[in-house]
Amino acid sequence: MSMFTCGGVVANVAVVRADQEVPKFLAQQRLLYAEAIELIRKGKSQQLTEQRQQLVDYPLYPYLLYADLAANMRYARRQEINRYLSDYQGTVKAQHLRSRWLSYLAKYSYWPAFMAAYDAKQASVKHQCQFHLARYEQSKKDAQLAEQKNDALNAGVALWNVGKSQPKECDKLFDRLIANNKITQTLAWQRFNKALLNHQYPLAKYLQRFLKSRHYKELAKLYYQVDRNPNSISQFDRFTSETQDELSIIEHALVHLARRNSHATLKYWSHYQQTHEFSHRARSAIVSAIVKGLYQQGFKTIADAYFADHLQLLNDTSEGRLTEWRIRQALQERDWPGVRLWLKRLPDTLQTRNAWRYWTIRSMQSDPSTTENPALQEMTERLARERDFYGFLASDMLDREYSMNHNAVPIDEQRLAAIKALPAMARARELMFHQDMLNANREWYQASAGFSDQDWLAAAIVAGQWQWHSKAIASLGHAQYWDDVELRFPLAYASLIDNAAQRTDLDNWLLFALARQESAFEASATSPAGAMGLMQVMPGTAKSTARKFNIPYRKRSQLHNPETNIAIASRYYRELLTRYEGSRILASAAYNAGPYRVDQWLAKSAGKLPFDIWMEIIPYRETRAYVRNILMYGIIYSRKMGQQPPMLLRAETYRLL
């Protein structure tokens, strides 16, 4: 039984249990669908046709039709395909079929059919290129379509003029642009600049072939030189046109140069401010780079004076991010007067954030003149009412129990029924049952497009009923409803986590916190960096950890198996905890950013910083938030499970890092 007891929560739990009862006819349809998918895999189309007739009213019936059309795509079946696109217009699988159909038609140059099937709202870049190529090719067959030819070429120019390479399917259209002399020097120069500023050097080099005049050749050479050697911006007489391209390259060079030579950058910036008109955004980017450069190159007093002179600009254009950075520099040096000064210089909207409320309290505690200030106690008590890392730290200061502030989402039965009745939502649920999470997620996104806050709240309850925890958590986030602790922190995969906790001598609530932070309990998750599964394990880490602890593991796809993932992740976290002498702060930072980086940060701080300052100055924003969340989520899970550990152990609190 959860400790968060109130009427709303009990209702939530009751609804979940009721929803898990599956009608017999649905169970039969699910079995037939699984058999049909196996027939598709084996290519038994005749048996599939017979099986399919029994599933006409099953939510995933369109998937069976799609599988057949996609596997046996032929021009002769265009009527069937067009009928599917019409009958299931706007669905995920209709979009997929249209994409495959367009690729097929383009491959064999069936241009009239391609143009008929094309949908501009859904078209990828490659299909946009092929559509305009189709228009161009059709115009060649009819003299009356000369205007269409010109429109197609102009559209092609817009697709060509970007700061990155486009898909190879665009090559034929781009060849037509070149053949029709649409790639002018001016146009090539625009794209050259975009590519250079985007660090797309091979593309920039390729584009130089279109620059024929001495003027553009010299400019390209200069800009490339400036990008590789920003000090070249000192050649003032070569930057006098004040075009947008020139403004961009000057900004680009000054920002890069400031990291190496802030004094030279100040000098050049003083000149260019008099000769060129920069936007507020560009001025802010340059000034920010100069401030950071001055500070990091040892000119703190000059940096602070320059910062103060431009405080309004920087706070307005960067939403106070540079001021936050400056506070962290002061914390790193344990410069409490500096902390207080820069806290006061934060924009008003940031001063109310819990992090800066906490550091305001800490700065007052460090000053003998304010340690007895009655306002300090009141500020600490107010912060302790918050359910977050800083609120929990304030509770520790007061030696009080942490505030959970649980408030369940109110249940609107009518809205719940409406959400479940959405065809895309019904498909998402069935795909989830069949463990086709890629398509389940796609259907969910389509179903939820245009949801109101109240719809999102209902969707969160629906997802909770289906044990689709990541969607319940995300839905509450969309609605910015943070107080339903039951839905936001589910006890998912409890038996697997409990077993892993016992084997590794870890607290189970710590492993729950890890899984909640890493994937929100989405076993199929894969990060852009390649981390996989419930606890986001990298394949290389999985391989070495599994070998060391004799965990059965042969291929990376096993990391999407919760049992394997939890077994490997818990062993790896235990290793990190041992490496860092029981510090969950350091072990969690290493789990997220890697032990090598954590060792670097520890070497830099040299065992002189309190835990909270060390955490606050972690260079990576993601890792800062990660460590805070692991500690905070651990407290929430421990309370859900009826345990009462402190957020930080005594050894973690008093150990200097």
Side-chain angles (χ1 to χ4, degrees):
M1 173 66 69
S2 165
M3 69 169 292
F4 303 122
T5 54
C6 75
V9 178
V10 172
N12 279 4
V13 174
V15 174
V16 170
R17 289 172 179 165
D19 195 77
Q20 291 173 349
E21 299 174 6
V22 179
K24 184 176 292 186
F25 77 90
L26 179 58
Q28 181 64 23
Q29 284 184 320
R30 287 174 170 175
L31 181 62
L32 288 171
Y33 179 81
E35 293 173 354
I37 292 296
E38 184 64 17
L39 291 174
I40 291 170
R41 190 183 67 81
K42 294 179 178 178
K44 297 182 178 180
S45 57
Q46 184 174 354
Q47 291 175 253
L48 172 62
T49 302
E50 298 171 1
Q51 187 102 338
R52 207 166 58 196
Q53 298 309 310
Q54 303 178 62
L55 291 167
V56 173
D57 60 346
Y58 183 53
L60 297 186
Y61 178 68
Y63 276 70
L64 297 178
L65 296 179
Y66 167 85
D68 175 41
L69 292 171
N72 302 285
M73 187 167 284
R74 300 186 304 276
Y75 189 68
R77 301 190 72 183
R78 60 190 180 280
Q79 290 186 344
E80 292 177 75
I81 291 171
N82 289 335
R83 187 181 308 116
Y84 186 100
L85 295 177
S86 175
D87 290 347
Y88 299 104
Q89 183 177 8
T91 66
V92 169
K93 280 305 166 188
Q95 293 174 14
H96 291 173
L97 184 63
R98 187 185 305 278
S99 179
R100 293 178 69 115
W101 182 229
L102 289 173
S103 294
Y104 172 89
L105 295 171
K107 180 179 179 180
Y108 295 104
S109 300
Y110 292 128
W111 297 126
F114 183 100
M115 293 173 68
Y118 181 78
D119 184 344
K121 294 179 181 179
Q122 300 175 10
S124 62
V125 170
K126 74 174 185 178
H127 287 144
Q128 291 176 51
C129 286
Q130 290 168 333
F131 173 70
H132 296 301
L133 176 64
R135 297 174 70 208
Y136 177 88
E137 294 300 322
Q138 289 300 106
S139 71
K140 289 166 55 179
K141 299 177 181 179
D142 188 342
Q144 296 181 347
L145 296 178
E147 186 176 343
Q148 176 175 295
K149 173 183 175 180
N150 196 52
D151 287 346
L153 291 173
N154 288 337
V157 166
L159 290 165
W160 183 86
N161 190 13
V162 295
K164 62 180 181 179
S165 296
Q166 293 287 42
K168 60 182 176 57
E169 288 83 359
C170 293
D171 290 350
K172 289 183 179 180
L173 176 64
F174 294 166
D175 288 342
R176 305 302 190 273
L177 300 181
I178 296 170
N180 285 271
N181 298 315
K182 287 290 185 178
I183 307 302
T184 64
Q185 283 196 94
T186 302
L187 191 67
W189 175 245
Q190 291 174 8
R191 193 180 188 196
F192 172 86
N193 277 273
K194 293 174 184 176
L196 199 62
L197 295 174
N198 206 26
H199 301 294
Q200 297 290 315
Y201 300 118
L203 176 59
K205 186 176 180 180
Y206 161 78
L207 290 166
Q208 290 184 57
R209 71 184 62 186
F210 296 103
L211 305 175
K212 304 296 184 183
S213 71
R214 180 180 176 182
H215 170 72
Y216 278 122
K217 285 182 177 180
E218 289 184 352
L219 272 181
K221 182 179 179 181
L222 173 64
Y223 278 27
Y224 194 85
Q225 180 185 6
V226 167
D227 180 79
R228 307 310 289 166
N229 178 20
N231 201 54
S232 302
I233 204 70
S234 62
Q235 302 172 34
F236 300 142
D237 60 337
R238 303 188 70 178
F239 297 92
T240 58
S241 65
E242 203 172 345
T243 63
Q244 185 55 53
D245 292 335
E246 185 168 278
L247 290 168
S248 296
I249 201 70
I250 292 171
E251 175 192 346
H252 183 72
L254 291 174
V255 167
H256 280 68
L257 182 61
R259 299 168 188 165
R260 310 178 195 174
N261 190 337
S262 54
H263 272 288
T265 308
L266 261 176
K267 175 184 174 181
Y268 304 152
W269 175 228
S270 178
H271 168 82
Y272 284 115
Q273 285 187 92
Q274 298 175 44
T275 60
H276 292 68
E277 187 68 33
F278 292 87
S279 67
H280 286 319
R281 183 209 58 77
R283 289 173 56 219
S284 177
I286 295 166
V287 171
S288 294
I290 290 172
V291 168
K292 285 189 174 183
L294 286 167
Y295 196 93
Q296 292 163 355
Q297 291 154 36
F299 305 106
K300 175 182 171 183
T301 302
I302 299 173
D304 282 350
Y306 195 66
F307 193 163
D309 288 343
H310 296 85
L311 182 65
Q312 192 65 51
L313 168 71
L314 295 169
N315 273 348
D316 288 348
T317 54
S318 67
E319 299 175 336
R321 286 189 296 273
L322 193 67
T323 309
E324 292 181 310
W325 170 85
R326 183 61 184 86
I327 295 169
R328 291 191 175 96
Q329 304 310 303
L331 286 170
Q332 183 171 337
E333 298 166 4
R334 303 188 71 174
D335 172 16
W336 291 110
V339 171
R340 289 190 288 275
L341 172 66
W342 289 99
L343 281 167
K344 292 176 181 177
R345 290 177 172 175
L346 279 169
D348 292 342
T349 54
L350 290 185
Q351 291 189 23
T352 60
R353 290 187 179 178
N354 291 350
W356 304 125
R357 290 168 64 190
Y358 173 78
W359 288 112
T360 298
I361 292 168
R362 284 278 276 119
S363 69
M364 291 176 68
Q365 291 173 338
S366 71
D367 184 351
S369 68
T370 54
T371 51
E372 300 300 324
N373 189 332
L376 180 60
Q377 177 75 11
E378 183 182 345
M379 291 166 63
T380 308
E381 289 179 352
R382 284 203 305 269
L383 182 57
R385 297 171 194 150
E386 304 289 345
R387 184 193 58 249
D388 77 342
F389 174 73
Y390 297 103
F392 290 176
L393 286 180
S395 294
D396 285 340
M397 290 176 180
L398 300 170
D399 195 24
R400 294 182 182 176
E401 175 55 23
Y402 308 113
S403 299
M404 292 297 115
N405 303 325
H406 172 64
N407 186 25
V409 173
I411 294 177
D412 181 340
E413 296 289 358
Q414 187 173 357
R415 196 179 295 269
L416 285 178
I419 294 293
K420 292 179 181 179
L422 293 171
M425 195 65 81
R427 290 192 293 270
R429 183 191 186 188
E430 293 308 303
L431 289 162
M432 181 191 169
F433 173 82
H434 293 288
Q435 299 185 349
D436 182 356
M437 296 310 299
L438 177 61
N439 280 311
N441 278 296
R442 288 168 173 166
E443 294 285 359
W444 176 279
Y445 292 135
Q446 185 189 68
S448 60
F451 270 9
S452 67
D453 285 350
Q454 293 304 311
D455 291 333
W456 279 119
L457 293 179
I461 295 176
V462 169
Q465 292 173 354
W466 295 348
Q467 305 296 299
W468 200 351
H469 304 296
S470 62
K471 288 292 181 283
I473 293 165
S475 296
L476 291 172
H478 279 293
Q480 297 189 2
Y481 192 100
W482 313 115
D483 291 339
D484 193 324
V485 181
E486 289 288 346
L487 272 176
R488 289 186 63 215
F489 297 93
L491 294 169
Y493 302 100
S495 61
L496 295 178
I497 287 176
D498 286 344
N499 290 337
Q502 292 174 10
R503 288 194 300 268
T504 56
D505 193 28
L506 291 170
D507 292 306
N508 54 2
W509 44 263
L510 179 59
L511 292 181
F512 275 115
L514 194 65
R516 169 62 171 80
Q517 169 61 26
E518 285 290 353
S519 70
F521 298 103
E522 181 68 76
S524 65
T526 300
S527 78
M532 300 173 67
L534 206 67
M535 295 188 178
Q536 292 290 276
V537 182
M538 293 295 291
T541 301
K543 186 176 181 180
S544 59
T545 304
R547 184 189 301 119
K548 185 173 183 178
F549 293 101
N550 296 317
I551 300 171
Y553 176 76
R554 296 183 306 280
K555 53 186 179 180
R556 63 178 56 197
S557 61
Q558 288 178 265
L559 291 175
H560 284 145
N561 176 284
E563 184 172 6
T564 301
N565 190 283
I566 292 171
I568 292 173
S570 58
R571 283 292 181 188
Y572 179 59
Y573 192 89
R574 163 47 69 188
E575 274 201 302
L576 293 174
L577 206 56
T578 301
R579 174 173 179 158
Y580 293 110
E581 300 174 345
S583 171
R584 290 169 299 148
I585 295 170
L586 300 179
S588 299
Y591 194 97
N592 178 257
Y596 175 73
R597 290 192 181 95
V598 171
D599 291 345
Q600 284 184 314
W601 301 336
L602 286 171
K604 184 177 180 180
S605 59
K608 296 179 180 179
L609 297 179
F611 78 91
D612 54 354
I613 293 180
W614 193 91
M615 288 175 60
E616 195 66 55
I617 67 168
I618 289 174
Y620 299 154
R621 179 184 299 183
E622 176 191 325
T623 306
R624 287 200 299 270
Y626 183 95
V627 178
R628 291 196 300 262
N629 285 349
I630 292 295
L631 296 171
M632 175 182 67
Y633 292 175
I635 284 301
I636 293 173
Y637 273 109
S638 69
R639 273 35 180 190
K640 283 174 69 75
M641 301 167 74
Q643 301 179 47
Q644 299 286 315
M647 183 168 69
L648 288 158
L649 303 175
R650 185 177 181 83
E652 293 171 321
T653 301
Y654 291 102
R655 176 181 173 182
L656 295 178
L657 301 174

mmCIF file of all heavy atoms in Angstrom, residues 2 6 18 30 35 49 77 114 135 155 181 201 231 237 262 299 318 326 380 393 439 526 582:
data_model
loop_
_atom_site.group_PDB
_atom_site.id
_atom_site.type_symbol
_atom_site.label_atom_id
_atom_site.label_comp_id
_atom_site.label_asym_id
_atom_site.label_seq_id
_atom_site.Cartn_x
_atom_site.Cartn_y
_atom_site.Cartn_z
ATOM 1 N N SER A 2 0.584 2.184 -0.872
ATOM 2 C CA SER A 2 1.350 3.433 -0.903
ATOM 3 C C SER A 2 1.040 4.265 0.327
ATOM 4 O O SER A 2 -0.061 4.219 0.875
ATOM 5 C CB SER A 2 1.000 4.227 -2.160
ATOM 6 O OG SER A 2 1.463 5.543 -2.035
ATOM 7 N N CYS A 6 -5.091 9.183 -0.338
ATOM 8 C CA CYS A 6 -6.193 10.135 -0.379
ATOM 9 C C CYS A 6 -7.211 9.577 -1.350
ATOM 10 O O CYS A 6 -6.920 8.665 -2.115
ATOM 11 C CB CYS A 6 -5.732 11.527 -0.801
ATOM 12 S SG CYS A 6 -5.382 11.704 -2.533
ATOM 13 N N ALA A 18 -9.322 -2.286 -12.588
ATOM 14 C CA ALA A 18 -10.489 -2.637 -13.390
ATOM 15 C C ALA A 18 -10.133 -2.718 -14.865
ATOM 16 O O ALA A 18 -10.627 -3.561 -15.600
ATOM 17 C CB ALA A 18 -11.592 -1.601 -13.166
ATOM 18 N N ARG A 30 -6.418 -10.625 -30.181
ATOM 19 C CA ARG A 30 -4.981 -10.438 -29.998
ATOM 20 C C ARG A 30 -4.214 -11.685 -30.433
ATOM 21 O O ARG A 30 -3.146 -11.585 -31.060
ATOM 22 C CB ARG A 30 -4.678 -10.109 -28.535
ATOM 23 C CG ARG A 30 -5.099 -8.700 -28.126
ATOM 24 C CD ARG A 30 -4.916 -8.464 -26.631
ATOM 25 N NE ARG A 30 -5.099 -7.046 -26.293
ATOM 26 C CZ ARG A 30 -5.087 -6.574 -25.056
ATOM 27 N NH1 ARG A 30 -4.908 -7.409 -24.020
ATOM 28 N NH2 ARG A 30 -5.235 -5.281 -24.835
ATOM 29 N N GLU A 35 -0.896 -14.327 -34.729
ATOM 30 C CA GLU A 35 -0.749 -15.385 -35.735
ATOM 31 C C GLU A 35 -0.651 -14.793 -37.133
ATOM 32 O O GLU A 35 0.128 -15.266 -37.970
ATOM 33 C CB GLU A 35 -1.926 -16.357 -35.642
ATOM 34 C CG GLU A 35 -1.957 -17.167 -34.350
ATOM 35 C CD GLU A 35 -3.236 -17.991 -34.213
ATOM 36 O OE1 GLU A 35 -4.135 -17.836 -35.073
ATOM 37 O OE2 GLU A 35 -3.336 -18.771 -33.248
ATOM 38 N N THR A 49 -5.006 -13.802 -45.857
ATOM 39 C CA THR A 49 -6.284 -13.236 -46.301
ATOM 40 C C THR A 49 -7.446 -13.831 -45.518
ATOM 41 O O THR A 49 -8.376 -13.126 -45.100
ATOM 42 C CB THR A 49 -6.480 -13.497 -47.806
ATOM 43 O OG1 THR A 49 -5.377 -12.923 -48.511
ATOM 44 C CG2 THR A 49 -7.769 -12.878 -48.303
ATOM 45 N N ARG A 77 -1.181 -2.458 -58.276
ATOM 46 C CA ARG A 77 -2.008 -2.401 -57.070
ATOM 47 C C ARG A 77 -2.323 -0.955 -56.663
ATOM 48 O O ARG A 77 -2.731 -0.695 -55.540
ATOM 49 C CB ARG A 77 -1.301 -3.107 -55.903
ATOM 50 C CG ARG A 77 -0.970 -4.569 -56.158
ATOM 51 C CD ARG A 77 -0.500 -5.258 -54.900
ATOM 52 N NE ARG A 77 -1.583 -5.473 -53.947
ATOM 53 C CZ ARG A 77 -1.421 -6.018 -52.738
ATOM 54 N NH1 ARG A 77 -0.212 -6.375 -52.336
ATOM 55 N NH2 ARG A 77 -2.454 -6.185 -51.928
ATOM 56 N N PHE A 114 2.952 9.812 -59.037
ATOM 57 C CA PHE A 114 3.668 10.422 -57.906
ATOM 58 C C PHE A 114 3.013 11.740 -57.514
ATOM 59 O O PHE A 114 2.738 11.988 -56.336
ATOM 60 C CB PHE A 114 5.137 10.651 -58.291
ATOM 61 C CG PHE A 114 5.981 11.200 -57.164
ATOM 62 C CD1 PHE A 114 6.802 10.369 -56.430
ATOM 63 C CD2 PHE A 114 5.955 12.552 -56.831
ATOM 64 C CE1 PHE A 114 7.578 10.867 -55.385
ATOM 65 C CE2 PHE A 114 6.719 13.062 -55.790
ATOM 66 C CZ PHE A 114 7.535 12.209 -55.068
ATOM 67 N N ARG A 135 7.401 17.635 -61.415
ATOM 68 C CA ARG A 135 6.792 18.798 -62.077
ATOM 69 C C ARG A 135 7.667 19.277 -63.239
ATOM 70 O O ARG A 135 7.175 19.623 -64.315
ATOM 71 C CB ARG A 135 6.600 19.929 -61.067
ATOM 72 C CG ARG A 135 5.651 19.585 -59.930
ATOM 73 C CD ARG A 135 5.622 20.699 -58.903
ATOM 74 N NE ARG A 135 4.952 21.889 -59.416
ATOM 75 C CZ ARG A 135 5.220 23.123 -59.020
ATOM 76 N NH1 ARG A 135 6.171 23.338 -58.134
ATOM 77 N NH2 ARG A 135 4.573 24.150 -59.531
ATOM 78 N N ALA A 155 11.386 26.313 -56.567
ATOM 79 C CA ALA A 155 11.231 25.508 -55.348
ATOM 80 C C ALA A 155 12.505 24.711 -55.078
ATOM 81 O O ALA A 155 12.919 24.533 -53.924
ATOM 82 C CB ALA A 155 10.032 24.573 -55.481
ATOM 83 N N ASN A 181 21.038 27.118 -65.153
ATOM 84 C CA ASN A 181 21.737 28.318 -64.666
ATOM 85 C C ASN A 181 21.012 29.001 -63.498
ATOM 86 O O ASN A 181 20.992 30.231 -63.395
ATOM 87 C CB ASN A 181 21.929 29.327 -65.809
ATOM 88 C CG ASN A 181 22.793 28.772 -66.927
ATOM 89 O OD1 ASN A 181 23.836 28.157 -66.667
ATOM 90 N ND2 ASN A 181 22.353 28.958 -68.161
ATOM 91 N N TYR A 201 32.376 21.832 -43.649
ATOM 92 C CA TYR A 201 33.512 22.228 -44.484
ATOM 93 C C TYR A 201 33.552 21.534 -45.848
ATOM 94 O O TYR A 201 33.874 22.192 -46.847
ATOM 95 C CB TYR A 201 34.817 22.014 -43.720
ATOM 96 C CG TYR A 201 34.879 22.831 -42.451
ATOM 97 C CD1 TYR A 201 34.978 22.225 -41.202
ATOM 98 C CD2 TYR A 201 34.800 24.220 -42.496
ATOM 99 C CE1 TYR A 201 35.003 22.977 -40.037
ATOM 100 C CE2 TYR A 201 34.828 24.989 -41.337
ATOM 101 C CZ TYR A 201 34.933 24.356 -40.109
ATOM 102 O OH TYR A 201 34.949 25.108 -38.950
ATOM 103 N N ASN A 231 41.626 35.261 -35.557
ATOM 104 C CA ASN A 231 42.399 36.492 -35.412
ATOM 105 C C ASN A 231 42.470 37.284 -36.720
ATOM 106 O O ASN A 231 42.792 38.482 -36.717
ATOM 107 C CB ASN A 231 43.811 36.169 -34.923
ATOM 108 C CG ASN A 231 44.477 37.359 -34.272
ATOM 109 O OD1 ASN A 231 43.931 37.964 -33.348
ATOM 110 N ND2 ASN A 231 45.653 37.730 -34.767
ATOM 111 N N ASP A 237 39.993 46.508 -42.923
ATOM 112 C CA ASP A 237 39.685 47.051 -44.249
ATOM 113 C C ASP A 237 39.053 46.035 -45.179
ATOM 114 O O ASP A 237 38.564 46.388 -46.257
ATOM 115 C CB ASP A 237 40.952 47.625 -44.891
ATOM 116 C CG ASP A 237 42.042 46.576 -45.056
ATOM 117 O OD1 ASP A 237 42.017 45.567 -44.310
ATOM 118 O OD2 ASP A 237 42.928 46.761 -45.912
ATOM 119 N N SER A 262 40.854 37.087 -25.213
ATOM 120 C CA SER A 262 39.729 37.982 -24.912
ATOM 121 C C SER A 262 40.117 39.451 -25.065
ATOM 122 O O SER A 262 39.291 40.280 -25.445
ATOM 123 C CB SER A 262 39.219 37.718 -23.495
ATOM 124 O OG SER A 262 40.277 37.817 -22.556
ATOM 125 N N PHE A 299 41.274 37.427 -15.993
ATOM 126 C CA PHE A 299 40.999 38.860 -15.863
ATOM 127 C C PHE A 299 39.619 39.059 -15.226
ATOM 128 O O PHE A 299 38.715 39.656 -15.817
ATOM 129 C CB PHE A 299 41.082 39.542 -17.226
ATOM 130 C CG PHE A 299 42.379 39.309 -17.940
ATOM 131 C CD1 PHE A 299 42.446 38.442 -19.015
ATOM 132 C CD2 PHE A 299 43.543 39.929 -17.507
ATOM 133 C CE1 PHE A 299 43.642 38.213 -19.675
ATOM 134 C CE2 PHE A 299 44.751 39.712 -18.161
ATOM 135 C CZ PHE A 299 44.803 38.843 -19.245
ATOM 136 N N SER A 318 19.611 36.569 -22.923
ATOM 137 C CA SER A 318 19.972 35.180 -22.594
ATOM 138 C C SER A 318 19.222 34.656 -21.387
ATOM 139 O O SER A 318 19.570 33.616 -20.836
ATOM 140 C CB SER A 318 21.482 35.071 -22.344
ATOM 141 O OG SER A 318 21.848 35.787 -21.175
ATOM 142 N N ARG A 326 27.848 32.995 -13.741
ATOM 143 C CA ARG A 326 28.743 33.782 -12.881
ATOM 144 C C ARG A 326 28.553 33.420 -11.411
ATOM 145 O O ARG A 326 29.524 33.398 -10.631
ATOM 146 C CB ARG A 326 28.484 35.285 -13.105
ATOM 147 C CG ARG A 326 29.419 36.192 -12.313
ATOM 148 C CD ARG A 326 30.874 35.973 -12.698
ATOM 149 N NE ARG A 326 31.773 36.783 -11.863
ATOM 150 C CZ ARG A 326 32.235 36.407 -10.678
ATOM 151 N NH1 ARG A 326 31.877 35.225 -10.163
ATOM 152 N NH2 ARG A 326 33.057 37.181 -10.002
ATOM 153 N N THR A 380 13.887 29.641 4.858
ATOM 154 C CA THR A 380 14.191 28.212 4.885
ATOM 155 C C THR A 380 12.916 27.392 5.039
ATOM 156 O O THR A 380 12.741 26.356 4.386
ATOM 157 C CB THR A 380 15.177 27.894 6.022
ATOM 158 O OG1 THR A 380 16.310 28.758 5.935
ATOM 159 C CG2 THR A 380 15.641 26.451 5.947
ATOM 160 N N LEU A 393 16.782 19.766 0.781
ATOM 161 C CA LEU A 393 17.944 20.275 1.511
ATOM 162 C C LEU A 393 17.510 21.247 2.609
ATOM 163 O O LEU A 393 18.068 21.240 3.722
ATOM 164 C CB LEU A 393 18.901 20.982 0.551
ATOM 165 C CG LEU A 393 19.752 20.110 -0.386
ATOM 166 C CD1 LEU A 393 20.627 20.996 -1.263
ATOM 167 C CD2 LEU A 393 20.611 19.122 0.399
ATOM 168 N N ASN A 439 5.826 1.667 -33.081
ATOM 169 C CA ASN A 439 4.542 2.086 -33.652
ATOM 170 C C ASN A 439 3.561 2.529 -32.572
ATOM 171 O O ASN A 439 2.733 3.415 -32.813
ATOM 172 C CB ASN A 439 3.940 0.952 -34.487
ATOM 173 C CG ASN A 439 4.568 0.872 -35.862
ATOM 174 O OD1 ASN A 439 4.688 1.869 -36.568
ATOM 175 N ND2 ASN A 439 4.989 -0.322 -36.257
ATOM 176 N N THR A 526 16.004 4.134 -26.385
ATOM 177 C CA THR A 526 17.389 4.208 -26.850
ATOM 178 C C THR A 526 17.748 5.679 -26.988
ATOM 179 O O THR A 526 17.037 6.436 -27.649
ATOM 180 C CB THR A 526 17.586 3.499 -28.200
ATOM 181 O OG1 THR A 526 17.241 2.114 -28.065
ATOM 182 C CG2 THR A 526 19.045 3.604 -28.655
ATOM 183 N N GLY A 582 31.168 4.842 -1.588
ATOM 184 C CA GLY A 582 29.803 4.943 -1.099
ATOM 185 C C GLY A 582 29.095 6.243 -1.416
ATOM 186 O O GLY A 582 27.944 6.434 -0.986
#
